[in-house]
Every structure is written in C-alpha cells, then in structure tokens.
Amino acid sequence: MMTVEGLNQYYGGSHTLRGISMTAEMGQCTALLGRNGVGKTTLLRCLMGVLPVASGSVHFEGADITRRSPHERAAMGLAYVPQGREIFARLTVEENIWMGMATKPARDARRIKGEIFELFPVLKEMLGRRGGDLSGGQQQQLAIARALVSEPKLIILDEPTEGIQPSIIKDIERVIRLLRERGDIAILLCEQYFDFARALADRFVVLSRGEVVAKGAKEEMDSPEVRRHLAV
Ligand SMILES: Nc1ncnc2c1ncn2[C@@H]1O[C@H](COP(=O)(O)OP(=O)(O)O)[C@@H](O)[C@H]1O
Ligand SMILES: [Mg+2]
C-alpha cells in the first residue's frame, strides 16, 4: 500500500531522517516505535507531504507521491491524526468532522455517516459543543473521527494515547482493532506506549536517532532488542 525507500530529511544542518525504508500494508496495523525525539513525527509529516524530503521516495498504491502536495495525498486516501490532536478549538464537534470531508466531492459529503457515531458514541452527544471544551480524550476521538470521515485507505496516527486517560485509551484501542478487522484500510500507528502498540500491531518498525534499527512481525516485537530502544 505504502512503500518508503531511502528517505532522508534535514532540519537545517541536522540530519533528522537517515535512509528510512519501511512499508504499511492494507488490512494491517504497522506500529512505528521509538523514544522521544527520534524522528517519528518528522517521518509522518514527510509521508503526508507537510515536510519536504531531501532524497528517497514514497510510493502509495504504486504511484510515486514523493513530491505531491498534502492536499493531493489526502485526496488519494491518506489521512493523518496529528500528535496533540490539533482539532479546531473554536469550531463545534460537528464542524470539526465536516473539515475531514473537505477532500470529498460535494455529493459524497452531504451528511456525516452514522457509522462514525457507532465508533464514537460520545461525539454524537456533543455535536454542538466547541472542540476546545472537550476533554483531551474526547478531542483525540474527534481527531480520529475527522480523519475517518474522509474514508481513507491509509490512516496515520501520531501517538493517539499521549496524555489520554485509560478508559478512553480502551475506547481508542477498540476502534483501531475494529478498523483492522474490517481489513479495508492500512493503519500506521506511531506510539511510545508499547503495550498498546503490541496489542494492535501486525508488524513494527523501530526508529532510533532517525534510523530504522529494527523491524519485523508482531511475534518478534516483545524482544529485549526492541525494548532496549524504547526504555527511557
Ligand atoms: N520544526 C523543527 N525544526 C528543527 N528541528 C526539529 C523540528 N521538529 C523536530 N525537530 C527535531 O527533530 C528531531 C525529531 O523530532 P520528532 O520528529 O518530533 O521526534 P519524535 O516524534 O520521535 O518525538 C528532534 O531532535 C527534534 O528536536
Ligand atoms: Mg512525535
């Protein structure tokens, strides 16, 4: 579904991503693991086209999208749930969800599909509330809902459990598991919370200082080698 090859990125003189190669497959959850500051968010921003890359390539469904704009990528079926949620605090929950449909043709975007409220019942009760008045966990659910209404082929989640209370982490885990079981989407889950990632992942990639230092199937995820790169 998505293939990244030899990707390099710099912030000024600092070589932040060093020859990253990885894939994300349809119907699977790929966990992107690594400590704070290793380059996870930078990589996801490159995949979404928000940051330019110096060299290397990103292919999506066979097409080279390395130089495509974020908008084009969204229209092709990539959706992004940024770290820290970045919902629109002054817009209502309903308006926030509408923003996720911006890439859809008008005829497909006349109403919010009911299934989004089956996944996140709490949002239905809060449609008229301002995004900024929601709890952190509710905002995270809103950010995921906003990404899902574009009906993406690949959803990229940047640390969805960060700063979220355990009961809502469970809700988010349930939703990601459901998406995975449906099998019609690729999930790229960036996490520092190892147990959460392990519960959901089919495959994993570990970053350290901008490099891929380990990758494999979930059976190999709980190894001392992987843990060593995640321990603080
Ligand atoms: N906008 C930026 N300008 C310069 N350096 C940055 C910027 N954003 C992140 N960095 C640096 O790049 C490195 C990787 O950051 P980031 O991708 O946010 O890591 P992670 O998401 O794994 O915590 C860190 O050293 C960070 O300080
Ligand atoms: Mg990050």
Side-chain angles (χ1 to χ4, degrees):
M1 170 109 307
M2 178 179 261
T3 307
V4 180
E5 272 175 312
L7 198 118
N8 286 285
Q9 191 270 351
Y10 298 79
Y11 285 121
S14 144
H15 195 175
T16 314
L17 298 179
R18 300 162 175 262
I20 304 279
S21 296
M22 60 168 289
T23 62
E25 307 292 347
M26 179 56 100
Q28 294 198 355
C29 176
T30 304
L32 177 65
L33 307 167
R35 284 180 207 150
N36 246 333
V38 296
K40 302 182 298 298
T41 297
T42 302
L43 173 58
L44 301 186
R45 290 171 66 85
C46 287
L47 300 183
M48 285 310 296
V50 184
L51 271 179
V53 304
S55 61
S57 67
V58 183
H59 283 77
F60 183 66
E61 291 196 301
D64 186 345
I65 62 164
T66 317
R67 310 281 164 216
R68 301 247 180 123
S69 69
H71 179 81
E72 285 176 283
R73 295 183 207 214
M76 291 176 84
L78 274 72
Y80 181 41
V81 182
Q83 187 167 16
R85 281 98 59 184
E86 296 180 20
I87 55 125
F88 300 97
R90 289 171 173 278
L91 299 186
T92 65
V93 166
E94 183 170 9
E95 289 162 344
N96 268 279
I97 297 175
W98 278 112
M99 296 302 285
M101 294 201 258
T103 58
K104 295 201 90 59
R107 68 172 183 285
D108 296 339
R110 281 198 199 117
R111 62 186 197 90
I112 299 171
K113 288 206 177 124
E115 72 176 15
I116 210 68
F117 302 119
E118 287 167 25
L119 293 176
F120 300 108
V122 66
L123 296 180
K124 188 163 192 177
E125 299 156 24
M126 299 201 160
L127 276 178
R129 256 340 148 86
R130 293 209 311 185
D133 294 336
L134 271 53
S135 74
Q138 290 163 350
Q139 289 184 10
Q140 187 61 260
Q141 294 178 85
L142 175 56
I144 298 171
R146 182 180 61 184
L148 285 176
V149 291
S150 70
E151 299 183 317
K153 296 173 185 164
L154 169 65
I155 185 167
I156 297 177
L157 301 119
D158 196 350
E159 300 206 33
T161 67
E162 191 185 25
I164 307 289
Q165 68 196 71
S167 67
I168 297 190
I169 291 181
K170 282 278 160 224
D171 288 338
I172 293 173
E173 183 177 329
R174 181 178 50 78
V175 168
I176 298 175
R177 175 161 291 121
L178 216 111
L179 294 174
R180 185 172 151 267
E181 282 164 7
R182 252 175 23 193
D184 58 357
I185 191 169
I187 303 164
L188 179 55
L189 173 67
C190 173
E191 263 301 334
Q192 290 197 57
Y193 180 8
F194 182 81
D195 292 337
F196 180 82
R198 191 181 47 172
L200 290 165
D202 297 287
R203 295 173 326 113
F204 68 93
V205 177
V206 184
L207 287 191
S208 179
R209 297 186 185 187
E211 281 183 281
V212 174
V213 290
K215 55 181 157 186
K218 71 170 166 208
E219 293 75 27
E220 303 147 45
M221 194 163 152
D222 196 8
S223 69
E225 167 70 1
V226 172
R227 292 226 179 230
R228 185 168 67 81
H229 286 291
L230 298 176
V232 185

